[in-house]
Amino acid sequence: MARRRALAGCPVTKAAIAAAAARARARAPFLAMVMEREPALAGQLADGVLPDIGAIYVSDMAMPVGTRLRIERRRLALLVAVGDLAGALDLTAVTGALTHFADYALDAAIRAAIGERTPGAEPIGFSAIALGKQGSFELNYSSDIDPILVFDPQTLPCRRREAPEEAAVRIARRVVELLQARDGEGYVLRVDLRLRPSAEITPIALPVDAAIWHYESQALAWERAAFIRARAAAGDLALGARFLAAIEPFVWRRALDFGAIAQIRDISRRIRDHHAQGQVLGPGFDLKRGRGGIREVEFFAQIHQLIHGGRAPALRVPGTRDALAALAALGVIADAEASAMRDAYTLLRTVEHRLQMVDDRQTHSLPGGSALDGVAALHGLADGAGLIALLAGPTGQVAAIYDSIEPGSGGAVSRDPVRLGEELAAAGFAPATAGAAIARIDAWRAGSYPALRSAAARDALEAALPGLVAAFGEAPDPAAALVRLDRMLAKLPSAINLFRLLEARPSLARLLALILCHASALADALGRRPALLDGLIDATALEPLGPVVALAAAMHPPGNPPDNSARRQADYQGVLDHVRRVVGELRFALGVQLIAGARPSSAVSRDYAHVAEAAIEVLAQATIADFAARHGLVPNSELVILALGRLGGGALTHASDLDLVYLFTGDHTAESDGEKPLGAVLYYNRLAQRLTASLSVPTAFGALYDIDTRLRPSGAQGPLVVSTQGFARYQRENAWTWEHMALTRARPVFGAAAARAAVSRDIAAVLGGARIARDIVADAVMMRADITRNKPPAGPLDVKLLPGGLVDLEFAVHVTQLVHRTGFHPDLGQAIAALVGAGLLPPALLEAHDFMMGLLPMLRLMAPDLQPPAPATRALLVASSGLGDWDEVIARLAATRQDVSACWQQIAGG
């Protein structure tokens, strides 16, 4: 409670405090009046002593609560004002003290209102949600408070035969009366309840579920911005926290609504227009609403929080200066912008406090004449002109920075066909393609697709067209990009947000052009989910993704654990959808990294694998929990998942499937302990079927991965899951050479550390020689011939299946490993390095691996048919390879294949 909070501030001299008290008495009639009413406090201040916050509280608890709070409030105003003027309290300490008292007073009023009506009842079921400056601990001297009052009909104390709705309204009215009524002691707080949903028709206290429904389904853009600074401040804090947790997805959306952002900017423009007389710095200037004022700093921070906070929880901070610091720390805004805005905000809020402490009025406008001189004197300046000069630089900086978030005008794209053709040619469109481009743009303007038939959609199109034409004109193939955008628009239900996003972030138009020119898979994904473009807004989209554990944390949906079967099933489905959404966003971003050349393709390939591992981890946990709710767990047993192939090697492409083997530990004769028990073998086979479905079956958020389980013992003819003992025995006694070759890249990706380690030891023992003797070379030669017959190369760029491609490379490596029983590592590159170091493979094979593995993810994304791509896409492949031109890439590939073929032929003929 605020009662126990101290005034934390900076050390100052007694002389500074005494001088501040004298200035307050001379220049602030309200503070002079308080000093007359509180002679003991005034005497201490005159003597240079700033009392502790405890000095404000009335010890007579028999005094009516309203009277007590009024006295405490005026005492607080005096102490904080003098501490502020003396420099003992900085802005954070001032606003914090005022806010903590507001919380304390609001809580006391709620307790009193409930206690008066239902003596002895616990003050539960009624909560005050602080918004605005109270929510962010930034109250000023004469702030209103803007709470939303919610109640729980199930727990709210009521009188006999009284409906909870009636009781809640009566409690709310009494709270407002206690805080707002004036008498000889003054008042406590002004209360404004108009920020509640549909304030003109709704009761002043709302049932919590009705309030949640409103924010989930009908809330307006400004309400999202308001809840950035919301917190449970008084009354039943647990109820308030539950309400805020429920509406968190409404506030912090991963899919951005740039229409909403535009509405917030429009609010700022309308404020400027409505308060036009207070826009120019000088007497009458509105510190809050004027150009370059407090509101523009707050809106600047909040707009960026709304844009980025859905994906960056570190930005979900209520305080304006804290938000600016967080935005700068994440690189969303420049450090210089954050510093300028923060310093200006501190100064503007401090001067605002000087205005309000004069007469305890909620004013923000600079006065004229001697009154302005008086405010300047409170601030320690000689006169009003000095104060105006002090404000000039910071307000100018704020105005310029705030204006920078408005989309650039950029002109408009002409509607005249001749001029439009000239504009397209100037942008970079080839003359031969201009006619088709003009026809497409005209069709969009005519509303040719459902997504473009509303006036709002066509307005958004016109606003985005200048940036689109410029970005597409710079693209390698502008006409092709425009055609693919047309196909995408044909499939969209609405294009408003897409165009608003492109208008607000012109750099995204350039990325969009690259996507449409080079990567049909990404373009198709974007056509299904335009919100994928949101994830590219900040630079972090082009950076490494981080470790598997961090990715798995992002894939865990927020929310409480299920407590009944229906909710459990809904929760499980929610996990499936959430993982698909996050994986889709991450894979899309990785694909963009490839076409943008942001990172080496080998690094992106590793991140593709990390995403898959995280998805396996999260979905395996969720599937096990859901399955166990019905069937229990098998005692002393657990599921272990082995990754093989490219996932085992930790390097995937955009189109890779996942090679998995399911195992279980413990006694295969055991039985699960649930409501419907199953034997261990049946239990794990059904569990694995569900897990495979969770990883592969499409939902409303799309599919994840194709799962291949044919590398399990006995292949497709064997059970889906075997015990770890059975797996080890099979590998020792029955496995064929091709299975041991696959085992060289096996890696546990799910299971407890001990179980993973045990399986890894079994694999190491088998690879080290604890296996049946076979003619490894002959078996491998036969298998390679079968692959050549049954799966020929798909095209001239099939670096996997072409002679001397990656398959031949893998055969050379795995045969050498098995024959010499050394060089084992799931990562093919590290395995080759070990074998080269041991003198068992030529160094050229390591270079061949790096070149082809670098080319593979690029080709899978940009030339999925494995035919030579268009010249523009060839340029990206050339840049990725580090070579000079396309002919050099083809020549290098041919030379690499020769090196691999020579090595494989030597091994096969040896």
Side-chain angles (χ1 to χ4, degrees):
M1 294 289 293
R3 178 182 292 275
R4 292 188 292 274
R5 295 185 181 274
L7 282 175
C10 310
V12 294
T13 64
K14 286 188 173 184
I17 294 171
R23 286 208 312 279
R25 185 183 289 275
R27 298 289 184 175
F30 166 69
L31 296 178
M33 179 274 293
V34 176
M35 289 181 182
E36 294 299 321
R37 300 290 299 274
E38 302 290 344
L41 289 181
Q44 289 180 283
L45 294 171
D47 291 338
V49 176
L50 183 66
D52 182 76
I53 191 70
I56 75 168
Y57 294 108
V58 175
S59 59
D60 182 6
M61 300 306 292
M63 181 182 293
V65 64
T67 303
R68 175 162 50 86
L69 291 174
R70 293 180 188 96
I71 294 171
E72 291 170 347
R73 185 263 175 182
R74 77 182 183 213
R75 291 174 176 174
L76 177 77
L78 176 62
L79 294 189
V80 171
V82 173
D84 181 0
L85 294 173
L89 303 177
D90 62 12
L91 180 63
T92 300
V94 169
T95 59
L98 296 170
T99 304
H100 287 304
F101 177 80
D103 290 356
Y104 155 76
L106 183 55
D107 188 75
I110 291 172
R111 290 173 178 272
I114 291 176
E116 289 171 359
R117 304 185 75 258
T118 51
E122 286 294 317
I124 60 174
F126 192 96
S127 183
I129 308 300
L131 300 179
K133 287 184 169 61
Q134 185 186 7
S136 58
F137 289 97
E138 294 175 324
L139 279 180
N140 56 40
Y141 280 99
S142 296
S143 285
D144 289 349
I145 61 170
D146 305 282
I148 289 178
L149 304 178
V150 297
F151 68 93
D152 182 352
Q154 303 300 317
T155 59
L156 181 71
C158 300
R159 292 174 174 174
R160 292 185 61 187
R161 293 187 295 277
E162 182 180 46
E165 293 76 11
E166 296 173 355
V169 168
R170 290 170 180 147
I171 291 169
R173 286 175 179 161
R174 179 58 174 154
V175 168
V176 172
E177 180 186 12
L178 287 169
L179 295 177
Q180 195 161 265
R182 291 177 179 267
D183 62 12
E185 306 295 348
Y187 72 103
V188 185
L189 295 163
R190 287 181 295 271
V191 182
D192 187 345
L193 300 178
R194 291 175 295 174
L195 291 185
R196 70 186 186 277
S198 304
E200 66 280 2
I201 59 172
T202 55
I204 59 176
L206 299 172
V208 65
D209 290 336
I212 291 171
W213 177 84
H214 168 83
Y215 291 111
E216 289 179 338
S217 61
Q218 295 186 338
L220 302 174
W222 68 264
E223 292 177 293
R224 283 188 61 205
F227 271 90
I228 288 177
R229 302 194 286 182
R231 61 184 176 85
D236 189 336
L237 297 182
L239 172 63
R242 176 165 73 85
F243 166 71
L244 291 175
I247 67 166
E248 184 176 277
F250 151 75
V251 181
W252 304 111
R253 297 179 182 175
R254 292 178 63 86
L256 302 179
D257 181 355
F258 268 85
I261 304 300
Q263 289 177 42
I264 295 169
R265 283 197 294 253
D266 185 59
I267 292 172
S268 178
R269 286 191 291 269
R270 285 189 279 119
I271 287 172
R272 281 183 176 179
D273 294 342
H274 184 72
H275 297 273
Q277 73 280 5
Q279 297 300 304
V280 180
L281 185 61
F285 177 72
D286 193 316
L287 293 168
K288 179 177 180 180
R289 305 176 188 88
R291 179 173 170 79
I294 293 166
R295 183 61 58 81
E296 292 190 356
V297 179
E298 293 170 344
F299 276 12
F300 178 83
Q302 290 166 19
I303 286 171
H304 285 92
Q305 285 178 285
L306 287 175
I307 292 173
H308 301 279
R311 297 168 184 272
L315 299 180
R316 301 174 191 177
V317 293
T320 301
R321 291 178 298 169
D322 292 338
L324 292 168
L327 289 164
L330 289 184
V332 175
I333 62 175
D335 288 339
E337 289 182 326
S339 179
M341 287 294 221
R342 185 172 55 248
D343 292 347
Y345 186 78
T346 301
L347 175 63
L348 288 164
R349 288 297 310 274
T350 301
V351 174
E352 177 189 49
H353 287 168
R354 304 289 182 262
L355 285 177
Q356 295 180 352
M357 68 176 61
V358 172
D359 288 313
D360 191 26
R361 290 177 54 239
Q362 189 183 24
T363 181
H364 311 283
S365 297
L366 294 178
S370 62
L372 182 61
D373 292 338
V375 173
L378 279 174
H379 197 64
L381 298 172
D383 54 29
L387 181 59
I388 298 298
L390 180 65
L391 293 170
T395 55
Q397 284 185 298
V398 169
I401 294 170
Y402 184 78
D403 287 346
S404 71
I405 65 176
E406 292 284 353
S409 59
V413 172
S414 176
R415 290 180 175 272
D416 177 75
V418 175
R419 292 194 59 191
L420 177 54
E422 294 171 351
E423 291 173 6
L424 291 172
F429 283 75
T433 66
I438 292 170
R440 281 195 171 83
I441 292 173
D442 285 345
W444 296 346
R445 283 169 157 167
S448 56
Y449 300 127
L452 297 168
R453 286 177 187 159
S454 71
R458 291 193 295 275
D459 288 346
L461 166 67
E462 292 299 333
L465 265 180
L468 276 174
V469 168
F472 280 32
E474 296 172 2
D477 191 344
L482 206 65
V483 169
R484 284 186 172 168
L485 177 59
D486 184 75
R487 292 173 185 165
M488 192 172 102
L489 294 174
K491 299 175 183 177
L492 292 181
S494 172
I496 296 174
N497 204 43
L498 172 65
F499 287 133
R500 289 299 184 197
L501 173 59
L502 294 172
E503 177 200 6
R505 291 292 186 272
S507 60
L508 288 186
R510 292 188 285 274
L511 278 179
L512 176 62
L514 285 177
I515 292 167
L516 297 175
C517 281
H518 301 298
S520 58
L522 299 183
D524 290 343
L526 196 56
R528 292 188 296 270
R529 286 185 60 200
L532 288 171
L533 207 58
D534 296 352
L536 307 181
I537 283 177
D538 53 60
T540 59
L542 301 181
E543 295 176 356
L545 295 186
V548 172
V549 64
L551 295 173
M555 292 181 197
H556 278 291
N560 298 321
D563 55 11
N564 58 59
S565 59
R567 184 175 169 191
R568 183 179 65 249
Q569 184 58 40
D571 183 77
Y572 180 61
Q573 185 61 47
V575 173
L576 300 187
D577 288 341
H578 185 75
V579 170
R580 278 159 174 73
R581 179 169 60 76
V582 175
V583 169
E585 292 169 354
L586 294 174
R587 292 173 73 187
F588 182 80
L590 290 172
V592 173
Q593 290 182 13
L594 288 174
I595 63 172
R599 297 173 58 216
S601 59
S602 58
V604 175
S605 188
R606 286 192 293 273
D607 272 352
Y608 274 125
H610 290 163
V611 171
E613 287 181 53
I616 291 169
E617 176 72 26
V618 174
L619 289 177
Q621 290 178 3
T623 302
I624 290 169
D626 187 69
F627 193 75
R630 183 177 180 85
H631 299 291
L633 297 171
V634 179
N636 303 312
S637 178
E638 65 174 294
L639 181 71
V640 179
I641 303 176
L642 275 184
L644 297 94
R646 302 210 179 280
L647 179 60
L652 295 180
T653 71
H654 195 81
S656 291
D657 59 8
L658 307 183
D659 293 303
L660 302 179
V661 169
Y662 299 116
L663 308 173
F664 69 91
T665 64
D667 183 0
H668 72 279
T669 65
E671 188 176 74
S672 67
D673 57 8
E675 175 187 349
K676 297 204 170 184
L678 298 171
V681 174
L682 180 59
Y683 179 96
Y684 283 109
N685 273 272
R686 288 189 180 176
L687 174 61
Q689 288 172 352
R690 289 202 66 191
L691 178 52
T692 298
S694 78
L695 286 163
S696 57
V697 173
T699 74
F701 287 87
L704 275 183
Y705 299 98
D706 291 331
I707 305 299
D708 191 341
T709 60
R710 291 174 296 174
L711 293 177
R712 66 185 184 269
S714 300
Q717 283 70 46
L720 184 58
V721 189
V722 297
S723 69
T724 52
Q725 301 97 316
F727 174 77
R729 184 168 56 253
Y730 177 86
Q731 295 293 339
R732 289 194 305 267
E733 301 173 5
N734 303 105
W736 296 93
T737 298
W738 68 267
E739 292 175 296
H740 287 150
M741 290 173 67
L743 201 64
T744 61
R745 301 179 76 179
R747 179 171 60 94
V749 293
F750 181 80
R756 295 193 197 199
V759 172
S760 295
R761 286 194 297 271
D762 289 338
I763 292 171
V766 169
L767 296 177
R771 46 188 157 88
I772 192 170
R774 296 196 184 275
D775 189 336
I776 296 169
V777 174
D779 288 348
V781 169
M782 186 181 302
M783 284 186 289
R784 184 64 184 97
D786 287 342
I787 292 173
T788 301
R789 283 192 304 272
N790 298 317
K791 199 171 183 182
L797 296 179
D798 193 341
V799 297
K800 181 177 176 182
L801 290 171
L802 282 168
L806 283 169
V807 169
D808 281 348
L809 176 64
E810 292 166 356
F811 267 68
V813 172
H814 298 330
V815 168
T816 303
Q817 289 172 313
L818 293 175
V819 168
H820 295 279
R821 301 178 182 179
T822 189
F824 296 109
H825 197 287
D827 183 313
L828 192 63
Q830 294 194 44
I832 294 172
L835 294 172
V836 169
L840 297 174
L841 287 178
L845 244 59
L846 191 55
E847 295 179 10
H849 166 271
D850 293 346
F851 178 72
M852 289 194 288
M853 285 298 289
L855 204 54
L856 181 66
M858 302 288 289
L859 290 170
R860 290 297 194 203
L861 185 63
M862 288 180 263
D865 59 359
L866 302 177
Q867 300 295 321
T873 301
R874 294 181 189 183
L876 288 186
L877 294 169
V878 170
S880 173
S881 70
L883 300 176
D885 56 32
W886 181 250
D887 289 341
E888 195 173 341
V889 172
I890 297 302
R892 174 69 180 275
L893 178 59
T896 297
R897 289 172 52 208
Q898 288 179 357
D899 290 338
V900 174
S901 291
C903 180
W904 169 236
Q905 291 303 321
Q906 183 178 1
I907 293 170

